[in-house]
């Protein structure tokens, strides 16, 4: 029996193109079969944890500026209260980071399980396993690819999940803040013309 030659494009370098996007969307359909699935609920939980973590980080960033006022006024009670608040925020931030990592690990395990079972169903459907192991010489050791490649893909995706879902929210928030600082700067630059204009209006 003749062995089939390598498939067209075998050994080509991966590219970020339409085919990659289509395949990635097919994988997402396996990882998130429905909005009420366990994976979707864990992903939503991860989103909430990440947003809360960013809010706490923002509050921690405001603490140093508050110390200037407390120390300048020599307010001992205010210093104790602010220090207690800072410690609580730091502990809360550490706790949220731990839950964040724990949820990412749960997603990794669940994603790997679902994707591996899906590939095994395709692998043993019809004569696919025979074709891949005997008739195709462009795919080396399909069993190893199913186990190792799925493991690497799911681990990498789970490690990137929290960063990917928070990036759009962070971008929108700081874009809005930059816009507000820009408007404030325009008011300061045009303060004198605005004052003259306002005075002219009242005459």
């Amino acid at each position: 029996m003749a062995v089939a030659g390598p498939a067209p494009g075998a050994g080509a370098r991966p590219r970020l193109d339409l085919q990659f996007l289509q395949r990635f969307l097919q994988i997402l359909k396996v990882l998130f079969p429905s909005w009420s699935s366990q994976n979707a609920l864990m992903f939503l939980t991860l989103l909430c944890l990440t947003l809360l973590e960013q809010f706490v980080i923002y509050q921690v960033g405001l603490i140093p500026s508050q110390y200037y006022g407390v120390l300048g006024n020599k307010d001992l009670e205010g210093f104790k209260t602010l220090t207690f608040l800072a410690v609580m925020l730091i502990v809360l931030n550490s706790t949220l980071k731990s839950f964040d990592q724990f949820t990412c690990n749960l997603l990794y395990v669940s994603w790997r399980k679902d994707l591996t079972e899906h590939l095994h169903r395709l692998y043993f459907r019809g004569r696919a396993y025979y074709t891949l192991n005997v008739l195709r010489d462009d795919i080396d050791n399909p069993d190893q690819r199913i186990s190792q490649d799925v493991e690497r893909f799911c681990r990498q995706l789970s490690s990137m999940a929290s960063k990917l879902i928070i990036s759009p929210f962070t971008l929108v928030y700081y874009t809005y803040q930059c816009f507000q600082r820009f408007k404030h700067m325009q008011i300061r630059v045009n303060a004198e013309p605005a004052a003259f204009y306002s005075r002219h209006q009242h005459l």
Side-chain angles (χ1 to χ4, degrees):
M1 180 181 293
V3 178
R13 294 179 62 86
R15 292 183 298 177
L16 187 62
D17 52 10
L18 181 60
Q19 185 182 47
F20 169 83
L21 182 60
Q22 291 174 342
R23 291 177 175 177
F24 185 70
L25 291 177
Q26 290 178 351
I27 293 176
L28 289 182
K29 290 179 181 179
V30 177
L31 301 182
F32 301 101
S34 67
W35 289 103
S36 59
S37 64
Q38 180 182 359
N39 290 342
L41 294 177
M42 283 195 294
F43 194 80
L44 181 61
T45 303
L46 180 62
L47 173 61
C48 296
L49 287 173
T50 308
L51 290 176
L52 184 57
E53 181 183 343
Q54 291 299 313
F55 176 75
V56 172
I57 291 174
Y58 176 76
Q59 295 299 320
V60 171
L62 298 178
I63 294 294
S65 62
Q66 298 178 29
Y67 269 111
Y68 285 107
V70 171
L71 295 177
N73 297 328
K74 298 181 179 179
D75 184 3
L76 180 59
E77 291 301 320
F79 176 80
K80 292 179 180 179
T81 303
L82 190 59
T83 301
F84 177 77
L85 176 62
V87 171
M88 289 296 100
L89 288 174
I90 292 173
V91 171
L92 180 59
N93 185 34
S94 301
T95 304
L96 289 173
K97 283 184 178 294
S98 300
F99 277 112
D100 185 335
Q101 188 61 44
F102 177 70
T103 307
C104 286
N105 290 335
L106 288 179
L107 276 174
Y108 157 72
V109 173
S110 183
W111 283 345
R112 183 180 178 184
K113 171 181 174 294
D114 293 343
L115 192 55
T116 301
E117 290 178 350
H118 177 75
L119 290 176
H120 270 95
R121 284 194 294 269
L122 297 178
Y123 185 56
F124 292 107
R125 179 181 298 174
R127 300 177 58 196
Y129 65 94
Y130 176 77
T131 302
L132 292 175
N133 283 285
V134 178
L135 302 182
R136 295 283 295 273
D137 59 356
D138 59 317
I139 301 178
D140 58 321
N141 202 344
D143 297 326
Q144 183 179 0
R145 286 183 177 272
I146 291 177
S147 60
Q148 293 187 0
D149 290 1
V150 168
E151 187 271 337
R152 292 169 184 167
F153 172 80
C154 293
R155 184 173 297 278
Q156 188 66 27
L157 186 62
S158 64
S159 65
M160 295 168 54
S162 59
K163 299 179 180 64
L164 289 176
I165 60 179
I166 197 58
S167 296
F169 297 96
T170 305
L171 180 62
V172 170
Y173 175 76
Y174 285 108
T175 300
Y176 173 76
Q177 290 295 325
C178 289
F179 176 76
Q180 293 294 323
R181 286 195 290 275
F182 174 73
K183 287 296 184 181
H184 181 69
M185 182 188 67
Q186 280 188 324
I187 294 175
R188 292 183 59 184
V189 170
N190 300 314
E192 186 175 352
F196 280 115
Y197 178 78
S198 177
R199 180 180 179 185
H200 176 72
Q201 291 292 103
H202 286 84
L203 291 178

